[in-house]
Amino acid sequence: MSPTKNILISLSLSTLLVGFYSGCTSKNIHIIGEKRVEITKHKSIQEGNFLKIMAELENDDYDETEGFVYQIEWYDKNGFIKDTTPWKAITIHKNQKVQIVEMTNIPDIIDYKIIVSVPNK
Amino acid sequence: MKTITNISLSITLAVILFSGCAPKGGAGMVGYQSDVKYGDAKAVETVTADFGSTDLQTTAESLTQSLLESRYIAKAPQPPKVRLRAVNNLTYEHIDTKAITDKIRIKLLKSGQVRFLADNANLNQVKDEREFTESATANKENKAMADSDYIITGNVRSIKKANDDVKDVYYNVSLELVSPQSGEILWADEKEIRKVTSKSSVGW
């Protein structure tokens, strides 16, 4: 097998792995409407009995201030939805990233989904 | 032949008659075609700049999270007994401040981190709470009812400004966790809300 072929195979496998892992992380994100907002990163920690999450949102539309709403769904170990936050309005100016931090106020929550709703222009 | 025609006509008439009587929509629905519709109770509401359901929900959510993170609740060896006191409405509009505290109480109770004592609407100052505790000491049953570890009080304030084009409303909801024994404020946090209305789009 030639070195060029090896490199090509390695690159293909890496692309597949990246695709696989990005697919895994996106289960916690759902964007409704136009994809003008991007969740660049998100993570969760356990704060006592409660799950706390952080997400970083970026305005992908570099021309305008973006006004949208988001909500967090909280799930228990069985995958049942136990609670949701109210929809919250947030504004991100162009070229700006905003960090949101939310914590559940009921115990035994192990998973979450960040839902972002972007209004149509 | 005539009989068959009569039967067909009768069936058609019956079908028309009964379908006319059937309610629109389906089972379990009344007034399906009216203008009244159910919406998302947690949706962001921007009908006017007044203090609304979204402000109530986000304020309760934010302050509850903050309170649960405070060491007096999070690190307490056992859930402390808390009494909700009045949250003063210092704005010029009618705001049901009890709706805010009730919502916070529900969230805190669901957390399992706090126990609540029944409200006593007539006692709304820390000093009153202390006097009440002292006077009830002689009676064991009253003492159990009166002995709160903490009380929660607060204020709602607003600043409104307007010019020919824009109306700006700023709300500040602050809560305090106070020790009724020492009068010390152990935790305090606030939720700020700004609402801007374009005068051309909304009459006011």
Side-chain angles (χ1 to χ4, degrees):
Chain A
M1 196 180 281
S2 70
T4 322
K5 207 170 181 180
N6 273 339
I7 292 166
L8 278 172
I9 289 168
S10 303
L11 277 172
S12 309
L13 279 170
S14 308
T15 315
L16 272 171
L17 276 172
V18 167
F20 176 73
Y21 279 109
S22 62
C24 281
T25 52
S26 67
K27 79 176 175 60
N28 293 94
I29 296 168
H30 182 207
I31 296 178
I32 303 167
E34 296 176 18
K35 304 283 185 289
R36 302 197 304 271
V37 173
E38 194 183 346
I39 300 178
T40 50
K41 62 178 176 185
H42 61 97
K43 65 175 182 181
S44 63
I45 57 162
Q46 197 69 31
E47 182 109 350
N49 291 333
F50 308 108
L51 190 72
K52 190 175 189 176
I53 65 147
M54 181 283 285
E56 198 171 76
L57 296 96
E58 184 176 5
N59 181 1
D60 263 3
D61 195 347
Y62 290 105
D63 297 329
E64 289 185 33
T65 297
E66 199 63 66
F68 61 94
V69 294
Y70 71 92
Q71 182 182 48
I72 316 294
E73 290 179 345
W74 303 110
Y75 294 88
D76 69 5
K77 63 180 179 187
N78 299 314
F80 291 172
I81 188 162
K82 296 295 284 184
D83 197 15
T84 59
T85 65
W87 286 96
K88 293 181 182 178
I90 191 168
T91 297
I92 309 181
H93 300 280
K94 60 182 178 181
N95 294 326
Q96 194 192 16
K97 281 183 182 176
V98 167
Q99 196 179 86
I100 57 167
V101 178
E102 298 285 341
M103 192 177 84
T104 175
N105 48 44
I106 53 175
D108 304 325
I109 297 296
I110 64 152
D111 205 4
Y112 63 96
K113 186 185 275 185
I114 305 164
I115 304 167
V116 178
S117 176
V118 184
N120 294 321
K121 282 189 177 175
Chain B
M1 189 69 185
K2 203 174 178 182
T3 321
I4 293 168
T5 314
N6 279 342
I7 290 167
S8 303
L9 273 171
S10 306
I11 290 169
T12 313
L13 270 171
V15 166
I16 291 168
L17 195 69
F18 282 106
S19 65
C21 290
K24 299 280 183 192
M29 296 180 220
V30 175
Y32 180 75
Q33 286 182 318
S34 78
D35 291 334
V36 181
K37 295 280 178 281
Y38 278 96
D40 182 352
K42 293 185 173 179
V44 171
E45 171 268 311
T46 51
V47 178
T48 70
D50 293 341
F51 196 90
S53 63
T54 300
D55 307 315
L56 169 70
Q57 289 168 341
T58 53
T59 299
E61 180 95 3
S62 165
L63 292 173
T64 305
Q65 282 177 16
S66 174
L67 191 54
L68 285 174
E69 286 179 286
S70 78
R71 64 191 175 98
Y72 299 98
I73 305 294
K75 301 227 184 320
Q78 59 178 10
K81 286 194 280 184
V82 177
R83 192 192 305 277
L84 274 173
R85 308 304 291 266
V87 169
N88 305 305
N89 177 13
L90 304 176
T91 72
Y92 289 102
E93 66 180 280
H94 169 73
I95 295 174
D96 182 2
T97 56
K98 193 148 190 326
I100 300 172
T101 51
D102 281 358
K103 205 159 183 56
I104 289 170
R105 177 165 51 194
I106 289 166
K107 285 177 178 293
L108 287 172
L109 278 171
K110 277 186 174 177
S111 77
Q113 299 289 100
V114 176
R115 291 174 295 165
F116 276 93
L117 296 173
D119 291 347
N120 190 329
N122 296 323
L123 299 172
N124 47 20
Q125 299 293 334
V126 176
K127 193 179 162 204
D128 290 350
E129 178 78 14
R130 188 169 182 179
E131 284 172 2
F132 179 62
T133 309
E134 283 172 356
S135 66
T137 307
N139 186 324
K140 280 186 181 175
E141 285 174 6
N142 281 351
K143 191 175 185 312
M145 189 179 71
D147 274 350
S148 59
D149 297 312
Y150 306 120
I151 61 168
I152 294 174
T153 65
N155 294 300
V156 184
R157 294 184 171 85
S158 71
I159 298 169
K160 293 189 179 184
K161 284 194 170 183
N163 63 17
D164 290 344
D165 303 318
V166 177
K167 178 186 179 185
D168 181 277
V169 190
Y170 166 83
Y171 290 103
N172 182 302
V173 184
S174 62
L175 283 189
E176 293 171 353
L177 187 76
V178 184
S179 164
Q181 278 73 42
S182 66
E184 188 184 357
I185 299 169
L186 303 167
W187 164 92
D189 205 350
E190 61 182 358
K191 170 72 178 171
E192 296 176 293
I193 296 163
R194 158 153 275 125
K195 289 178 163 181
V196 182
T197 314
S198 167
K199 210 170 183 180
S200 56
S201 63
V202 178
W204 46 287

